[in-house]
Amino acid sequence: MIRLAKYIAPFALAVVMSSPAFAAIDYSDDFESYTEYVGSGSLGDIGGGWLVFANVFTDYPGCTTPEYGYGPFPAPNQDSGFSNITAGNTGLALNAYSNYGDTVHADGKCLETSVFQERIFSAADVGTYDFKFDVQVPIALGTGVRTYGFIKLLDPVTFATDLFLEVDTATAGDKSIRVELDATADGKILQWGFSAVASNYEASGRWYDNVTFAPAVIGPPVLPLIEGIPIPSWALLLMVGMLGYLGASRLRARKNA
């Protein structure tokens, strides 16, 4: 029992620390409560806190020389630029694409458009997060076009990018990005969302659904307690309870002696 007990404390601590309870951001959106875009023109804004931003570069497809940017604005529910709500494969979904209303397409310049959520990160939000979503492919991407999901941290004064993580969304399927955010991110602008890099009116649409940005579920480390057999967390908690019960029983026995 003594040999087993010396492993219990670090294991119990690992179980507790693997819980997502310490991280504060827990976001999800399946777009089912939104208004589907049908027809032409605009239905106003998508809502739900979704924003858009665009960066213009002089060269395409390299997109290495920035020229200017514009935004953020509320994400539109329209057909000419940035985004709308569409009938996806399993329900309503977010359709994110380039801003075809911008004449830089005709000029052959590079246009990077983003549809995203934004928060001011605080010390209470420290933790490890997973950004997860489904990708549906309505059409093949045009020549030189890139699409991706991303996580960014921006300086609130200079708007310089302090962190940038991405996952390619050219293909359909479940995608995810994991990020560990510590106290150094306090006060910075946290963004997660989707981007398209395009020009010349090339096709860039991707449908996104079942979006979550939530604390990562990380299991406890596994130690070989009995002949190399790993102990699952539920069994560990049971052993902790049993040891507590035995300890309390011994104390009562000593008092009654």
Side-chain angles (χ1 to χ4, degrees), residues 85-102:
I85 298 298
T86 190
N89 297 336
T90 57
L92 296 183
L94 172 66
N95 184 13
Y97 47 92
S98 188
N99 181 15
Y100 296 110
D102 194 326

Side-chain angles (χ1 to χ4, degrees), residues 75-202:
N77 198 0
Q78 63 183 21
D79 55 6
S80 60
F82 286 107
S83 59
N84 63 34
I85 298 298
T86 190
N89 297 336
T90 57
L92 296 183
L94 172 66
N95 184 13
Y97 47 92
S98 188
N99 181 15
Y100 296 110
D102 194 326
T103 58
V104 300
H105 270 278
D107 298 334
K109 295 182 179 181
C110 177
L111 185 61
E112 177 193 55
T113 54
S114 299
V115 185
F116 59 93
Q117 290 285 323
E118 182 175 280
R119 301 285 188 278
I120 301 299
F121 194 82
S122 73
D125 301 325
V126 167
T128 301
Y129 291 89
D130 282 334
F131 175 34
K132 297 182 178 181
F133 52 90
D134 302 335
V135 180
Q136 300 170 27
V137 176
I139 193 171
L141 295 177
T143 303
V145 174
R146 283 201 315 120
T147 61
Y148 54 88
F150 68 85
I151 298 174
K152 289 183 183 179
L153 271 180
L154 304 177
D155 185 282
V157 177
T158 65
F159 298 103
T161 302
D162 292 338
L163 172 72
F164 178 73
L165 302 172
E166 67 174 276
V167 60
D168 185 84
T169 60
T171 58
D174 299 334
K175 312 287 183 176
S176 66
I177 307 174
R178 175 164 292 182
V179 62
E180 184 174 349
L181 299 170
D182 58 26
T184 62
D186 187 21
K188 295 182 179 178
I189 301 170
L190 172 65
Q191 297 176 346
W192 62 89
F194 312 102
S195 289
V197 178
S199 186
N200 305 312
Y201 301 102
E202 293 282 0

